[in-house]
Amino acid sequence: MYVYRIMLLLVFCGYLFSPLLMSGWGNPDVAWYRPFAIWAVLIALTGWLAWKRRQDNLHQRLGHHESSP
């Protein structure tokens, strides 16, 4: 179920950054790796969110609840 949320985040970020990517590919003064760096950050963010969700679910299944004072 959470995979759909992550995919939605990727699609939204792709839509949000698409003008920046297109201007970067068309402009010869911009570094060639800029569009790839933006996508790498988005993929890393998505992976981190998926890992964090998996860790939270694992802790919840094992019964490690944070105690609130």
Side-chain angles (χ1 to χ4, degrees), residues 10 18 23 35 37 42 46-47 55 63 67 69:
L10 270 180
S18 64
S23 68
L42 289 176
T46 304
Q55 292 296 324
S67 60

Side-chain angles (χ1 to χ4, degrees), residues 42-58:
L42 289 176
I43 291 169
L45 177 65
T46 304
W48 179 74
L49 289 172
W51 177 80
K52 184 165 174 40
R53 173 59 67 185
R54 196 172 346 148
Q55 292 296 324
D56 290 343
N57 287 341
L58 180 65

Side-chain angles (χ1 to χ4, degrees), residues 4 15-16 18 21-23 36 38 42 59 64:
Y4 297 119
Y15 179 73
L16 187 66
S18 64
L21 291 173
M22 292 301 175
S23 68
F36 300 106
I38 292 170
L42 289 176
H59 286 297
H64 298 290

